[in-house]
Short mmCIF file of all heavy atoms in Angstrom, two decimals:
data_model
loop_
_atom_site.label_atom_id
_atom_site.label_comp_id
_atom_site.label_asym_id
_atom_site.label_seq_id
_atom_site.Cartn_x
_atom_site.Cartn_y
_atom_site.Cartn_z
N ILE A 1 -3.64 -4.55 46.21
CA ILE A 1 -3.17 -4.63 44.82
C ILE A 1 -3.99 -5.69 44.11
O ILE A 1 -4.24 -6.77 44.66
CB ILE A 1 -1.67 -5.00 44.76
CG1 ILE A 1 -0.82 -3.95 45.49
CG2 ILE A 1 -1.21 -5.13 43.32
CD1 ILE A 1 0.65 -4.30 45.57
N ARG A 2 -4.39 -5.36 42.85
CA ARG A 2 -5.10 -6.34 42.03
C ARG A 2 -4.48 -6.31 40.63
O ARG A 2 -4.29 -5.25 40.05
CB ARG A 2 -6.58 -6.03 41.96
CG ARG A 2 -7.38 -7.01 41.08
CD ARG A 2 -8.85 -6.93 41.38
NE ARG A 2 -9.12 -7.38 42.73
CZ ARG A 2 -9.24 -8.65 43.12
NH1 ARG A 2 -9.08 -9.61 42.21
NH2 ARG A 2 -9.48 -8.96 44.36
N GLN A 3 -4.19 -7.52 40.12
CA GLN A 3 -3.54 -7.66 38.83
C GLN A 3 -4.39 -8.51 37.91
O GLN A 3 -4.80 -9.61 38.26
CB GLN A 3 -2.16 -8.31 39.00
CG GLN A 3 -1.44 -8.61 37.69
CD GLN A 3 -1.09 -7.37 36.92
OE1 GLN A 3 -0.48 -6.46 37.47
NE2 GLN A 3 -1.48 -7.30 35.66
N GLN A 4 -4.66 -7.94 36.70
CA GLN A 4 -5.37 -8.70 35.68
C GLN A 4 -4.39 -9.68 35.02
O GLN A 4 -3.26 -9.32 34.69
CB GLN A 4 -5.97 -7.77 34.63
CG GLN A 4 -6.97 -6.77 35.17
CD GLN A 4 -8.23 -7.44 35.68
OE1 GLN A 4 -8.61 -8.51 35.21
NE2 GLN A 4 -8.88 -6.80 36.64
N LEU A 5 -4.85 -10.90 34.81
CA LEU A 5 -3.99 -11.94 34.24
C LEU A 5 -4.36 -12.30 32.81
O LEU A 5 -3.50 -12.78 32.06
CB LEU A 5 -4.05 -13.20 35.11
CG LEU A 5 -3.59 -13.01 36.57
CD1 LEU A 5 -3.71 -14.33 37.33
CD2 LEU A 5 -2.17 -12.48 36.64
N LEU A 6 -5.59 -12.11 32.40
CA LEU A 6 -6.01 -12.43 31.03
C LEU A 6 -6.52 -11.18 30.34
O LEU A 6 -5.78 -10.49 29.66
CB LEU A 6 -7.06 -13.55 31.06
CG LEU A 6 -6.57 -14.92 31.55
CD1 LEU A 6 -7.70 -15.93 31.59
CD2 LEU A 6 -5.45 -15.42 30.64
N ARG A 7 -7.80 -10.88 30.47
CA ARG A 7 -8.35 -9.66 29.86
C ARG A 7 -7.78 -8.44 30.57
O ARG A 7 -7.79 -8.36 31.79
CB ARG A 7 -9.87 -9.66 29.95
CG ARG A 7 -10.49 -8.39 29.39
CD ARG A 7 -11.98 -8.31 29.65
NE ARG A 7 -12.72 -9.35 28.93
CZ ARG A 7 -14.05 -9.39 28.87
NH1 ARG A 7 -14.77 -8.45 29.48
NH2 ARG A 7 -14.65 -10.36 28.21
N GLY A 8 -7.31 -7.49 29.77
CA GLY A 8 -6.76 -6.27 30.35
C GLY A 8 -5.35 -6.40 30.86
O GLY A 8 -4.89 -5.55 31.63
N PHE A 9 -4.61 -7.46 30.44
CA PHE A 9 -3.24 -7.64 30.91
C PHE A 9 -2.27 -7.05 29.90
O PHE A 9 -2.39 -7.27 28.69
CB PHE A 9 -2.94 -9.14 31.09
CG PHE A 9 -1.50 -9.41 31.42
CD1 PHE A 9 -1.01 -9.20 32.70
CD2 PHE A 9 -0.62 -9.86 30.44
CE1 PHE A 9 0.32 -9.44 33.00
CE2 PHE A 9 0.71 -10.10 30.73
CZ PHE A 9 1.18 -9.90 32.02
N GLY A 10 -1.29 -6.30 30.38
CA GLY A 10 -0.22 -5.77 29.54
C GLY A 10 -0.46 -4.34 29.08
O GLY A 10 -1.58 -3.85 29.02
N THR A 11 0.64 -3.68 28.76
CA THR A 11 0.57 -2.26 28.38
C THR A 11 -0.01 -2.08 26.98
O THR A 11 -0.60 -1.04 26.69
CB THR A 11 1.97 -1.65 28.43
OG1 THR A 11 2.84 -2.38 27.55
CG2 THR A 11 2.54 -1.69 29.84
N ALA A 12 0.16 -3.08 26.12
CA ALA A 12 -0.29 -2.91 24.73
C ALA A 12 -1.79 -2.66 24.67
O ALA A 12 -2.25 -1.71 24.01
CB ALA A 12 0.10 -4.12 23.90
N VAL A 13 -2.57 -3.49 25.33
CA VAL A 13 -4.01 -3.36 25.24
C VAL A 13 -4.51 -2.19 26.09
O VAL A 13 -5.48 -1.53 25.73
CB VAL A 13 -4.69 -4.68 25.66
CG1 VAL A 13 -4.44 -4.98 27.14
CG2 VAL A 13 -6.17 -4.63 25.37
N ASN A 14 -3.86 -1.93 27.22
CA ASN A 14 -4.32 -0.84 28.08
C ASN A 14 -3.98 0.54 27.52
O ASN A 14 -4.66 1.51 27.83
CB ASN A 14 -3.73 -1.00 29.48
CG ASN A 14 -4.39 -2.11 30.28
OD1 ASN A 14 -5.56 -2.03 30.65
ND2 ASN A 14 -3.65 -3.18 30.53
N LYS A 15 -2.92 0.63 26.71
CA LYS A 15 -2.57 1.91 26.12
C LYS A 15 -3.19 2.07 24.73
O LYS A 15 -2.94 3.07 24.05
CB LYS A 15 -1.05 2.04 26.00
CG LYS A 15 -0.33 2.11 27.35
CD LYS A 15 1.14 2.42 27.18
CE LYS A 15 1.35 3.84 26.73
NZ LYS A 15 2.78 4.23 26.72
N ALA A 16 -3.99 1.09 24.30
CA ALA A 16 -4.56 1.14 22.95
C ALA A 16 -5.43 2.38 22.75
O ALA A 16 -5.33 3.06 21.71
CB ALA A 16 -5.36 -0.13 22.67
N GLN A 17 -6.28 2.69 23.71
CA GLN A 17 -7.15 3.85 23.56
C GLN A 17 -6.38 5.16 23.56
O GLN A 17 -6.72 6.10 22.83
CB GLN A 17 -8.21 3.85 24.67
CG GLN A 17 -9.19 2.70 24.60
CD GLN A 17 -9.94 2.66 23.28
OE1 GLN A 17 -10.31 3.68 22.71
NE2 GLN A 17 -10.15 1.45 22.77
N VAL A 18 -5.32 5.23 24.38
CA VAL A 18 -4.49 6.43 24.38
C VAL A 18 -3.78 6.57 23.05
O VAL A 18 -3.73 7.67 22.46
CB VAL A 18 -3.48 6.39 25.55
CG1 VAL A 18 -2.57 7.60 25.52
CG2 VAL A 18 -4.22 6.31 26.88
N ASN A 19 -3.21 5.46 22.56
CA ASN A 19 -2.53 5.52 21.26
C ASN A 19 -3.52 5.85 20.14
O ASN A 19 -3.18 6.55 19.19
CB ASN A 19 -1.85 4.18 20.98
CG ASN A 19 -0.67 3.94 21.92
OD1 ASN A 19 -0.06 4.89 22.43
ND2 ASN A 19 -0.36 2.69 22.18
N ARG A 20 -4.73 5.31 20.26
CA ARG A 20 -5.74 5.61 19.25
C ARG A 20 -6.08 7.10 19.24
O ARG A 20 -6.25 7.72 18.18
CB ARG A 20 -7.00 4.80 19.53
CG ARG A 20 -8.00 4.81 18.38
CD ARG A 20 -9.28 4.08 18.75
NE ARG A 20 -10.07 3.78 17.58
CZ ARG A 20 -10.82 4.66 16.90
NH1 ARG A 20 -10.86 5.92 17.33
NH2 ARG A 20 -11.49 4.30 15.83
N ALA A 21 -6.16 7.70 20.43
CA ALA A 21 -6.45 9.13 20.51
C ALA A 21 -5.29 9.96 19.96
O ALA A 21 -5.51 10.99 19.31
CB ALA A 21 -6.74 9.52 21.96
N ARG A 22 -4.06 9.51 20.19
CA ARG A 22 -2.92 10.23 19.64
C ARG A 22 -2.91 10.16 18.12
O ARG A 22 -2.61 11.15 17.45
CB ARG A 22 -1.62 9.65 20.22
CG ARG A 22 -1.41 10.01 21.69
CD ARG A 22 -0.22 9.30 22.28
NE ARG A 22 0.01 9.72 23.66
CZ ARG A 22 0.85 9.11 24.50
NH1 ARG A 22 1.53 8.05 24.07
NH2 ARG A 22 1.00 9.54 25.74
N ILE A 23 -3.22 8.98 17.59
CA ILE A 23 -3.33 8.87 16.13
C ILE A 23 -4.47 9.75 15.62
O ILE A 23 -4.37 10.37 14.55
CB ILE A 23 -3.54 7.40 15.73
CG1 ILE A 23 -2.32 6.57 16.09
CG2 ILE A 23 -3.83 7.28 14.24
CD1 ILE A 23 -2.49 5.08 15.86
N GLY A 24 -5.55 9.81 16.39
CA GLY A 24 -6.67 10.68 16.01
C GLY A 24 -6.27 12.15 15.97
O GLY A 24 -6.74 12.91 15.12
N PHE A 25 -5.38 12.55 16.87
CA PHE A 25 -4.88 13.93 16.86
C PHE A 25 -4.06 14.18 15.60
O PHE A 25 -4.21 15.22 14.94
CB PHE A 25 -4.06 14.19 18.12
CG PHE A 25 -3.42 15.55 18.16
CD1 PHE A 25 -4.19 16.69 18.17
CD2 PHE A 25 -2.04 15.67 18.19
CE1 PHE A 25 -3.61 17.95 18.20
CE2 PHE A 25 -1.45 16.92 18.23
CZ PHE A 25 -2.23 18.06 18.24
N ASP A 26 -3.17 13.23 15.26
CA ASP A 26 -2.40 13.36 14.02
C ASP A 26 -3.33 13.37 12.81
O ASP A 26 -3.12 14.13 11.86
CB ASP A 26 -1.41 12.21 13.90
CG ASP A 26 -0.34 12.26 14.99
OD1 ASP A 26 -0.10 13.37 15.52
OD2 ASP A 26 0.24 11.21 15.31
N LYS A 27 -4.34 12.53 12.85
CA LYS A 27 -5.30 12.47 11.75
C LYS A 27 -6.06 13.79 11.61
O LYS A 27 -6.34 14.26 10.50
CB LYS A 27 -6.27 11.31 11.97
CG LYS A 27 -7.20 11.02 10.80
CD LYS A 27 -8.02 9.77 11.09
CE LYS A 27 -8.95 9.46 9.92
NZ LYS A 27 -9.94 10.51 9.70
N ALA A 28 -6.43 14.39 12.73
CA ALA A 28 -7.14 15.67 12.68
C ALA A 28 -6.26 16.75 12.06
O ALA A 28 -6.74 17.60 11.29
CB ALA A 28 -7.58 16.08 14.08
N ASN A 29 -4.97 16.73 12.38
CA ASN A 29 -4.06 17.70 11.76
C ASN A 29 -3.92 17.45 10.26
O ASN A 29 -3.85 18.40 9.47
CB ASN A 29 -2.69 17.62 12.44
CG ASN A 29 -2.66 18.35 13.77
OD1 ASN A 29 -2.92 19.54 13.86
ND2 ASN A 29 -2.35 17.62 14.83
N LEU A 30 -3.88 16.18 9.86
CA LEU A 30 -3.80 15.87 8.44
C LEU A 30 -5.07 16.30 7.72
O LEU A 30 -5.01 16.84 6.61
CB LEU A 30 -3.56 14.37 8.25
CG LEU A 30 -2.18 13.85 8.66
CD1 LEU A 30 -2.15 12.33 8.64
CD2 LEU A 30 -1.10 14.41 7.73
N ASP A 31 -6.22 16.06 8.34
CA ASP A 31 -7.48 16.48 7.73
C ASP A 31 -7.54 18.01 7.61
O ASP A 31 -8.04 18.54 6.62
CB ASP A 31 -8.66 15.96 8.55
CG ASP A 31 -8.78 14.45 8.49
OD1 ASP A 31 -8.22 13.85 7.55
OD2 ASP A 31 -9.41 13.86 9.39
N PHE A 32 -7.05 18.70 8.64
CA PHE A 32 -7.02 20.16 8.56
C PHE A 32 -6.09 20.62 7.44
O PHE A 32 -6.39 21.57 6.71
CB PHE A 32 -6.57 20.75 9.89
CG PHE A 32 -6.43 22.24 9.89
CD1 PHE A 32 -7.55 23.06 9.82
CD2 PHE A 32 -5.18 22.84 9.95
CE1 PHE A 32 -7.43 24.44 9.80
CE2 PHE A 32 -5.05 24.22 9.92
CZ PHE A 32 -6.17 25.02 9.86
N LYS A 33 -4.96 19.93 7.29
CA LYS A 33 -4.05 20.26 6.20
C LYS A 33 -4.72 20.05 4.85
O LYS A 33 -4.54 20.84 3.92
CB LYS A 33 -2.80 19.40 6.31
CG LYS A 33 -1.75 19.68 5.25
CD LYS A 33 -0.53 18.79 5.45
CE LYS A 33 0.52 19.03 4.36
NZ LYS A 33 1.70 18.15 4.54
N ALA A 34 -5.51 18.97 4.75
CA ALA A 34 -6.24 18.73 3.49
C ALA A 34 -7.22 19.86 3.20
O ALA A 34 -7.37 20.30 2.05
CB ALA A 34 -6.97 17.39 3.56
N HIS A 35 -7.90 20.35 4.23
CA HIS A 35 -8.82 21.47 4.03
C HIS A 35 -8.07 22.73 3.62
O HIS A 35 -8.57 23.53 2.81
CB HIS A 35 -9.62 21.72 5.31
CG HIS A 35 -10.59 20.63 5.65
ND1 HIS A 35 -11.56 20.18 4.77
CD2 HIS A 35 -10.74 19.89 6.77
CE1 HIS A 35 -12.26 19.22 5.34
NE2 HIS A 35 -11.79 19.02 6.53
N VAL A 36 -6.88 22.93 4.18
CA VAL A 36 -6.07 24.08 3.78
C VAL A 36 -5.71 23.99 2.30
O VAL A 36 -5.80 24.97 1.55
CB VAL A 36 -4.79 24.17 4.65
CG1 VAL A 36 -3.84 25.22 4.08
CG2 VAL A 36 -5.16 24.53 6.08
N LEU A 37 -5.33 22.79 1.86
CA LEU A 37 -5.00 22.60 0.45
C LEU A 37 -6.23 22.85 -0.43
O LEU A 37 -6.11 23.43 -1.53
CB LEU A 37 -4.48 21.18 0.22
CG LEU A 37 -3.11 20.87 0.85
CD1 LEU A 37 -2.76 19.41 0.63
CD2 LEU A 37 -2.03 21.76 0.27
N ASP A 38 -7.40 22.43 0.03
CA ASP A 38 -8.62 22.69 -0.73
C ASP A 38 -8.88 24.19 -0.85
O ASP A 38 -9.26 24.69 -1.92
CB ASP A 38 -9.82 22.00 -0.07
CG ASP A 38 -9.77 20.49 -0.21
OD1 ASP A 38 -9.09 20.00 -1.13
OD2 ASP A 38 -10.39 19.79 0.63
N VAL A 39 -8.70 24.91 0.25
CA VAL A 39 -8.93 26.36 0.22
C VAL A 39 -7.92 27.04 -0.70
O VAL A 39 -8.28 27.96 -1.46
CB VAL A 39 -8.86 26.93 1.65
CG1 VAL A 39 -8.82 28.46 1.63
CG2 VAL A 39 -10.04 26.46 2.47
N ILE A 40 -6.68 26.58 -0.67
CA ILE A 40 -5.67 27.16 -1.56
C ILE A 40 -6.06 26.92 -3.02
O ILE A 40 -6.00 27.83 -3.86
CB ILE A 40 -4.29 26.56 -1.26
CG1 ILE A 40 -3.79 27.04 0.11
CG2 ILE A 40 -3.28 26.94 -2.34
CD1 ILE A 40 -2.48 26.42 0.53
N GLN A 41 -6.47 25.69 -3.34
CA GLN A 41 -6.86 25.38 -4.71
C GLN A 41 -8.07 26.21 -5.14
O GLN A 41 -8.11 26.76 -6.24
CB GLN A 41 -7.17 23.89 -4.84
CG GLN A 41 -7.56 23.47 -6.26
CD GLN A 41 -7.93 22.02 -6.36
OE1 GLN A 41 -8.12 21.35 -5.35
NE2 GLN A 41 -8.05 21.50 -7.57
N ASN A 42 -9.07 26.30 -4.26
CA ASN A 42 -10.27 27.08 -4.59
C ASN A 42 -9.93 28.57 -4.78
O ASN A 42 -10.48 29.23 -5.66
CB ASN A 42 -11.32 26.91 -3.50
CG ASN A 42 -11.86 25.50 -3.43
OD1 ASN A 42 -11.81 24.76 -4.41
ND2 ASN A 42 -12.36 25.11 -2.27
N THR A 43 -9.02 29.06 -3.94
CA THR A 43 -8.63 30.47 -4.05
C THR A 43 -7.87 30.72 -5.35
O THR A 43 -8.09 31.73 -6.04
CB THR A 43 -7.76 30.88 -2.85
OG1 THR A 43 -8.49 30.63 -1.64
CG2 THR A 43 -7.41 32.35 -2.91
N GLU A 44 -6.98 29.81 -5.71
CA GLU A 44 -6.25 29.95 -6.97
C GLU A 44 -7.20 29.97 -8.16
O GLU A 44 -7.10 30.83 -9.05
CB GLU A 44 -5.23 28.81 -7.11
CG GLU A 44 -4.05 28.92 -6.14
CD GLU A 44 -3.15 27.70 -6.20
OE1 GLU A 44 -3.68 26.57 -6.30
OE2 GLU A 44 -1.92 27.88 -6.13
N ASN A 45 -8.12 29.01 -8.18
CA ASN A 45 -9.07 28.96 -9.29
C ASN A 45 -9.96 30.20 -9.33
O ASN A 45 -10.26 30.74 -10.41
CB ASN A 45 -9.92 27.70 -9.19
CG ASN A 45 -9.15 26.44 -9.54
OD1 ASN A 45 -8.23 26.48 -10.34
ND2 ASN A 45 -9.51 25.33 -8.92
N ALA A 46 -10.39 30.66 -8.14
CA ALA A 46 -11.23 31.87 -8.11
C ALA A 46 -10.45 33.09 -8.59
O ALA A 46 -10.99 33.96 -9.29
CB ALA A 46 -11.74 32.10 -6.69
N TYR A 47 -9.18 33.16 -8.24
CA TYR A 47 -8.34 34.28 -8.71
C TYR A 47 -8.21 34.25 -10.23
O TYR A 47 -8.37 35.28 -10.91
CB TYR A 47 -6.96 34.16 -8.05
CG TYR A 47 -6.01 35.31 -8.35
CD1 TYR A 47 -5.94 36.42 -7.53
CD2 TYR A 47 -5.18 35.27 -9.46
CE1 TYR A 47 -5.07 37.46 -7.80
CE2 TYR A 47 -4.30 36.31 -9.75
CZ TYR A 47 -4.25 37.40 -8.92
OH TYR A 47 -3.39 38.42 -9.19
#
């Protein structure tokens, strides 16, 4: 068993990259939603 005591200690810093990726997934869905809104607006104007 090996335990980090300073750098790399605790769940907050070790889960940071996982949490960042989860936020990135939410962000990707929001960006896709923004593109959907753009397509809707462009389609309305084209109609």
Side-chain angles (χ1 to χ4, degrees):
I1 300 176
R2 179 162 295 278
Q3 175 65 52
Q4 299 294 332
L5 300 179
L6 293 178
R7 177 188 294 188
F9 173 78
T11 58
V13 66
N14 285 293
K15 293 187 71 173
Q17 294 302 322
V18 177
N19 292 333
R20 193 185 195 283
R22 288 173 177 169
I23 294 174
F25 176 62
D26 294 336
K27 188 175 181 296
N29 281 302
L30 290 171
D31 292 340
F32 176 70
K33 182 179 178 181
H35 292 305
V36 170
L37 292 176
D38 290 337
V39 169
I40 291 176
Q41 182 183 12
N42 294 336
T43 303
E44 289 174 320
N45 288 329
Y47 184 92

